[in-house]
Amino acid sequence: MLMTRRFGNEDRDIAVAAKMLRNGEIVAFPTETVYGLGADASNPGGIGRIYEAKARPRHNPLIVHVCDIEMAHNVAEFDPKAALVADRFWPGPLTMLLPKKVGSRLAPAVTAGLETVAVRFPSSKVAQRLIRAVGFPVAAPSANLSGKISPTRFAQVLRQLDGRIAGIVQDDACDHGLESTILSLIGTPAILRHGSVPQEPLEDLLGSLGEVGEPREISSPGQFRSHYAPEASVRTEVCEPTANMIWIGFGPDCEGCRLTLSTSGDLEEAARSLYDVMVEADLLARADDVIAFAPIPMYGLGRAINDRLRRAAAPR
Ligand code: TXA
Ligand code: MG
């Protein structure tokens, strides 16, 4: 059992947290999407500790977070298309899958031994300051136990990881509340995971994108394996809830719902509240209760929300 240190977002706090990262310890920190669990991406010990603390399968690689374009170019190969995407969407909630730079100092376990690397330049100022203070990219998965709900608040990180990690940097709730979109630029551009940047603006820039692949040897987290899951079981597309259901509405036509993702039917609000609402519904649920979500439209952020709901509802 570790003593998990709490950090604020003062320069002094960030400096101590960065030092711990450089020493191979792991520290959770906020980003504009969800909280990440960080390690210095050049430090094999730190990377190993991430997999242990989350009970994450070792073949599931990590996203590498940078605080500027130059740092990104030190770990990944950018072709003109990648440069175009970076120019348009960075900093922000978009992760690009690119060829790993030969000779980069990334610990091999960051990419689970692959020759590709997932790179993200977050817009969160706290995240940027922490990475800059480390002086090297920070590898970070979401700061939850593997398969559980991603935390968008300090208290949710504590609930899952207190005593398992060296520290947590505290900040306001995450702006987007949903993970980054993962865009592969290996071969035909394709979305590997829907997320906080919708498909439409990416297609405006790149033309039509490849399909999200069925799980092959390695893909984004278990496409149909249970993931992002509350304790209670989950149903989707429910319009007429039964007695044992905690019904979660979307839009104005869900009279009688216990909770809602957005009463006005706003997809950004729904994305932001999704994981919070899952946590809250789990607290309300008694044995055999089912968390039941009203239908969510399949455009814009609705694709990412539906993806998370489908995985939360997948067989355990
Ligand atoms: O918003 C986010 O992306 C958050 C914050 C902390 O940045 N991070 C996040 O990380 O969601 P994680 O580990 O929960 O999800 C990243 C996904 C993993 O499922 C992994 O399979 C995929 O990215 N990934 C990472 N590197 C990859 C690679 N080289 N090839 C294929 N997939 C990769
Ligand atoms: Mg995750």
Side-chain angles (χ1 to χ4, degrees), residues 19-26 38-50 62 105-110 134 136-139:
K19 187 161 180 222
M20 290 169 80
L21 289 169
R22 283 197 305 271
N23 288 337
E25 296 185 86
I26 55 178
D40 175 343
S42 67
N43 190 312
I47 301 305
R49 270 174 212 109
I50 287 183
L62 307 177
R105 285 167 41 233
L106 292 176
V110 170
V134 171
F136 196 77
V138 170

Side-chain angles (χ1 to χ4, degrees), residues 20 41 60 132 144 157 159 173-174 177 222 239 256 271:
M20 290 169 80
N60 193 1
R132 191 162 299 121
N144 52 278
V157 181
R159 192 174 309 130
C174 305
C239 297

Side-chain angles (χ1 to χ4, degrees), residues 99-283:
K100 185 160 99 176
K101 185 113 178 178
V102 177
S104 82
R105 285 167 41 233
L106 292 176
V110 170
T111 58
L114 299 171
E115 292 311 312
T116 56
V117 60
V119 191
R120 168 156 131 72
F121 177 0
S123 61
S124 156
K125 294 294 176 221
V126 174
Q128 291 180 6
R129 285 164 58 210
L130 183 66
I131 299 161
R132 191 162 299 121
V134 171
F136 196 77
V138 170
S142 49
N144 52 278
L145 295 169
S146 194
K148 302 291 184 197
I149 301 172
S150 308
T152 56
R153 293 170 187 280
F154 177 75
Q156 291 163 12
V157 181
L158 268 187
R159 192 174 309 130
Q160 293 197 49
L161 296 178
D162 196 15
R164 302 176 70 92
I165 64 178
I168 310 181
V169 179
Q170 179 166 16
D171 199 29
D172 300 334
C174 305
D175 290 343
H176 294 280
L178 198 63
E179 290 86 349
S180 64
T181 300
I182 304 182
L183 174 71
S184 171
L185 291 179
I186 308 286
T188 312
I191 292 179
L192 294 186
R193 177 180 73 185
H194 290 287
S196 287
V197 173
Q199 182 170 334
E200 292 86 346
L202 288 169
E203 290 194 324
D204 288 346
L205 186 70
L206 296 171
S208 74
L209 294 170
E211 285 292 302
V212 176
E214 288 289 306
R216 274 158 279 162
E217 322 84 80
I218 169 69
S219 62
S220 273
Q223 304 261 324
F224 301 110
R225 238 184 313 124
S226 169
H227 209 92
Y228 312 101
E231 300 302 322
S233 48
V234 172
R235 293 262 316 270
T236 60
E237 314 264 336
V238 173
C239 297
E240 303 204 346
T242 53
N244 70 330
M245 288 182 174
I246 295 178
W247 193 37
I248 299 175
F250 176 80
D253 300 328
C254 296
E255 215 165 290
C257 62
R258 290 280 287 282
L259 300 167
T260 180
L261 293 180
S262 166
T263 38
S264 65
D266 177 313
L267 287 167
E268 273 180 35
E269 184 187 7
R272 197 177 311 117
S273 42
L274 178 65
Y275 293 142
D276 265 359
V277 165
M278 279 190 188
V279 169
E280 204 179 332
D282 230 4
L283 293 173

